Coordinates of all heavy atoms in Angstrom, one line a residue:
R4 N -9.8 0.3 -7.7 CA -8.9 1.4 -7.4 C -7.8 1.1 -6.4 O -6.7 1.5 -6.6 CB -9.7 2.6 -6.9 CG -9.0 3.9 -6.9 CD -9.8 5.1 -6.4 NE -11.0 5.3 -7.1 CZ -11.9 6.3 -6.7 NH1 -11.6 7.1 -5.7 NH2 -13.0 6.4 -7.4
A5 N -8.2 0.3 -5.4 CA -7.2 -0.1 -4.4 C -6.1 -0.9 -5.1 O -4.9 -0.8 -4.8 CB -7.8 -0.9 -3.3
R6 N -6.4 -1.9 -6.0 CA -5.4 -2.7 -6.6 C -4.6 -1.9 -7.6 O -3.3 -2.1 -7.7 CB -6.1 -3.9 -7.4 CG -6.6 -4.9 -6.4 CD -6.9 -6.2 -7.1 NE -7.4 -7.2 -6.1 CZ -6.7 -7.9 -5.3 NH1 -5.3 -7.8 -5.3 NH2 -7.2 -8.8 -4.4
D7 N -5.2 -0.9 -8.2 CA -4.4 0.0 -9.1 C -3.3 0.8 -8.4 O -2.2 0.9 -8.8 CB -5.3 1.0 -9.9 CG -6.1 0.3 -11.0 OD1 -5.7 -0.8 -11.4 OD2 -7.1 0.9 -11.4
V8 N -3.7 1.3 -7.2 CA -2.8 2.2 -6.5 C -1.8 1.4 -5.7 O -0.6 1.9 -5.6 CB -3.6 3.2 -5.6 CG1 -4.1 2.5 -4.3 CG2 -2.8 4.4 -5.2
I9 N -2.1 0.2 -5.2 CA -1.1 -0.5 -4.5 C -0.1 -1.0 -5.5 O 1.1 -1.2 -5.1 CB -1.8 -1.7 -3.7 CG1 -0.9 -2.1 -2.6 CG2 -2.1 -2.9 -4.6 CD1 -1.5 -3.0 -1.5
D10 N -0.5 -1.3 -6.8 CA 0.5 -1.6 -7.8 C 1.4 -0.4 -8.1 O 2.6 -0.5 -8.3 CB -0.2 -2.1 -9.0 CG 0.8 -2.5 -10.1 OD1 1.6 -3.4 -9.9 OD2 0.7 -1.9 -11.2
A11 N 0.8 0.8 -8.2 CA 1.5 2.0 -8.5 C 2.6 2.3 -7.5 O 3.6 2.9 -7.9 CB 0.5 3.2 -8.7
V12 N 2.4 2.0 -6.3 CA 3.4 2.3 -5.2 C 4.3 1.1 -5.0 O 5.2 1.2 -4.1 CB 2.7 2.7 -3.9 CG1 1.8 3.9 -4.1 CG2 1.9 1.6 -3.2
G13 N 4.2 0.1 -5.8 CA 5.1 -1.0 -5.7 C 4.9 -2.0 -4.6 O 5.9 -2.6 -4.1
L14 N 3.7 -2.1 -4.1 CA 3.4 -3.0 -3.0 C 2.4 -4.1 -3.3 O 1.9 -4.8 -2.4 CB 2.8 -2.2 -1.8 CG 3.7 -1.1 -1.2 CD1 2.9 -0.3 -0.1 CD2 4.9 -1.8 -0.5
S15 N 2.3 -4.4 -4.6 CA 1.3 -5.5 -5.0 C 1.8 -6.8 -4.4 O 0.9 -7.7 -4.1 CB 1.2 -5.6 -6.5 OG 2.4 -5.7 -7.1
D16 N 3.1 -7.1 -4.2 CA 3.5 -8.4 -3.7 C 3.3 -8.6 -2.3 O 3.4 -9.7 -1.8 CB 5.0 -8.5 -4.0 CG 5.9 -7.4 -3.4 OD1 5.3 -6.3 -3.2 OD2 7.1 -7.7 -3.1
V17 N 2.9 -7.5 -1.5 CA 2.6 -7.6 -0.1 C 1.2 -7.2 0.1 O 0.8 -6.9 1.3 CB 3.6 -6.8 0.8 CG1 5.0 -7.3 0.6 CG2 3.5 -5.3 0.4
A18 N 0.3 -7.2 -0.9 CA -1.0 -6.7 -0.8 C -1.9 -7.4 0.3 O -2.7 -6.8 1.0 CB -1.7 -6.7 -2.1
E19 N -1.6 -8.7 0.4 CA -2.4 -9.5 1.3 C -1.8 -9.7 2.7 O -2.3 -10.4 3.6 CB -2.7 -10.9 0.7 CG -3.4 -10.8 -0.7 CD -4.7 -10.1 -0.6 OE1 -5.4 -10.1 0.4 OE2 -5.1 -9.4 -1.7
R20 N -0.6 -9.1 2.9 CA 0.1 -9.2 4.2 C -0.5 -8.3 5.2 O -1.0 -7.2 4.8 CB 1.6 -9.0 4.0 CG 2.3 -10.0 3.2 CD 3.8 -9.8 3.2 NE 4.4 -9.8 4.6 CZ 5.6 -9.5 4.9 NH1 6.4 -9.0 4.0 NH2 6.1 -9.6 6.1
P21 N -0.5 -8.6 6.5 CA -1.0 -7.6 7.5 C -0.2 -6.3 7.4 O 1.0 -6.3 7.4 CB -0.8 -8.3 8.8 CG -0.8 -9.8 8.5 CD -0.1 -9.8 7.1
A22 N -0.9 -5.2 7.3 CA -0.2 -3.9 7.2 C 0.8 -3.6 8.3 O 1.8 -3.0 8.1 CB -1.2 -2.8 7.1
R23 N 0.5 -4.1 9.5 CA 1.3 -3.8 10.6 C 2.6 -4.5 10.7 O 3.5 -4.2 11.5 CB 0.5 -4.0 11.9 CG -0.7 -3.0 12.1 CD -1.3 -3.1 13.4 NE -2.4 -2.1 13.6 CZ -3.1 -1.9 14.7 NH1 -2.8 -2.7 15.8 NH2 -4.0 -1.0 14.8
V24 N 2.8 -5.5 9.8 CA 4.1 -6.3 9.8 C 5.0 -5.7 8.7 O 6.1 -6.2 8.6 CB 3.9 -7.8 9.7 CG1 2.9 -8.3 10.8 CG2 3.4 -8.2 8.3
L25 N 4.5 -4.8 7.9 CA 5.4 -4.2 6.9 C 6.5 -3.4 7.5 O 6.4 -2.9 8.6 CB 4.5 -3.4 5.9 CG 3.3 -4.1 5.2 CD1 2.6 -3.1 4.3 CD2 3.8 -5.3 4.4
S26 N 7.5 -3.2 6.7 CA 8.6 -2.3 7.1 C 8.1 -0.9 7.2 O 7.1 -0.5 6.7 CB 9.8 -2.4 6.2 OG 9.4 -1.8 4.9
G27 N 8.9 0.0 7.9 CA 8.5 1.4 8.0 C 8.4 2.1 6.7 O 7.4 2.8 6.5
G28 N 9.3 1.8 5.7 CA 9.2 2.4 4.4 C 7.9 1.9 3.7 O 7.2 2.7 3.0
E29 N 7.6 0.6 3.8 CA 6.4 0.0 3.1 C 5.2 0.6 3.7 O 4.2 0.9 3.0 CB 6.4 -1.5 3.3 CG 7.5 -2.2 2.4 CD 7.6 -3.6 2.7 OE1 7.3 -4.1 3.9 OE2 8.1 -4.4 1.8
Q30 N 5.2 0.8 5.1 CA 4.0 1.4 5.7 C 3.8 2.8 5.2 O 2.6 3.2 5.0 CB 4.1 1.3 7.2 CG 3.9 -0.1 7.8 CD 3.8 0.0 9.3 OE1 3.6 1.0 9.9 NE2 3.9 -1.2 9.9
Q31 N 4.8 3.6 5.1 CA 4.7 4.9 4.6 C 4.2 5.0 3.2 O 3.3 5.8 2.8 CB 6.0 5.7 4.8 CG 5.8 7.2 4.7 CD 5.0 7.8 5.8 OE1 3.8 7.6 5.8 NE2 5.6 8.6 6.6
R32 N 4.7 4.1 2.3 CA 4.2 4.0 1.0 C 2.7 3.6 0.9 O 1.9 4.1 0.1 CB 5.0 3.1 0.1 CG 6.3 3.7 -0.4 CD 7.0 2.8 -1.4 NE 7.7 1.7 -0.8 CZ 7.9 0.5 -1.3 NH1 7.4 0.3 -2.6 NH2 8.5 -0.5 -0.7
L33 N 2.4 2.7 1.8 CA 1.0 2.3 1.9 C 0.1 3.4 2.4 O -1.0 3.6 1.9 CB 0.8 1.1 2.9 CG -0.6 0.6 3.1 CD1 -1.3 0.2 1.8 CD2 -0.6 -0.6 4.1
A34 N 0.6 4.2 3.3 CA -0.2 5.4 3.8 C -0.4 6.4 2.6 O -1.5 7.0 2.5 CB 0.5 6.1 4.9
L35 N 0.6 6.6 1.8 CA 0.5 7.5 0.7 C -0.5 6.9 -0.4 O -1.2 7.6 -1.0 CB 1.9 7.7 0.0 CG 2.8 8.6 0.8 CD1 4.3 8.5 0.3 CD2 2.4 10.1 0.6
A36 N -0.4 5.6 -0.5 CA -1.3 4.9 -1.5 C -2.8 5.1 -1.0 O -3.7 5.3 -1.8 CB -1.0 3.4 -1.6
R37 N -3.0 4.9 0.3 CA -4.3 5.1 0.9 C -4.9 6.5 0.6 O -6.1 6.6 0.3 CB -4.2 4.7 2.4 CG -5.6 4.6 3.1 CD -5.4 4.0 4.5 NE -4.4 4.7 5.3 CZ -3.9 4.3 6.4 NH1 -4.3 3.1 6.9 NH2 -3.1 5.0 7.1
A38 N -4.0 7.5 0.8 CA -4.4 8.8 0.5 C -4.6 9.1 -1.0 O -5.6 9.7 -1.4 CB -3.4 9.8 1.1
W39 N -3.7 8.6 -1.8 CA -3.7 8.8 -3.2 C -5.0 8.2 -3.8 O -5.6 8.8 -4.8 CB -2.5 8.2 -3.8 CG -2.2 8.6 -5.2 CD1 -2.8 9.6 -6.0 CD2 -1.2 8.0 -6.1 NE1 -2.2 9.6 -7.2 CE2 -1.2 8.7 -7.3 CE3 -0.2 7.0 -5.9 CZ2 -0.3 8.4 -8.4 CZ3 0.6 6.7 -6.9 CH2 0.6 7.4 -8.1
A40 N -5.4 7.1 -3.3 CA -6.6 6.4 -3.9 C -7.8 7.3 -3.8 O -8.8 7.2 -4.6 CB -6.8 5.1 -3.1
L41 N -7.9 8.2 -2.9 CA -9.0 9.1 -2.7 C -9.1 10.2 -3.7 O -10.0 11.0 -3.8 CB -9.0 9.7 -1.3 CG -9.0 8.7 -0.1 CD1 -8.8 9.5 1.2 CD2 -10.4 8.0 -0.1
G42 N -8.0 10.4 -4.5 CA -8.0 11.4 -5.5 C -8.0 12.8 -4.9 O -8.8 13.7 -5.4

């Protein structure tokens, strides 16, 4: 599920990068992905 949703938000290319070094926009998309994954 995590891989599906991280691909859906366009972050598959940074999936293995530390979350805290992502840009502000990427972090917000990641936060949305984290919530979305919970259905």
Side-chain angles (χ1 to χ4, degrees):
R4 196 181 302 179
R6 290 197 178 277
D7 284 346
V8 77
I9 205 167
D10 181 60
V12 302
L14 293 177
S15 55
D16 57 334
V17 296
E19 303 303 330
R20 294 184 63 188
R23 293 187 175 185
V24 306
L25 301 181
S26 70
E29 288 171 335
Q30 287 191 12
Q31 194 65 291
R32 279 191 284 152
L33 177 58
L35 285 165
R37 190 167 55 187
W39 194 10
L41 299 173

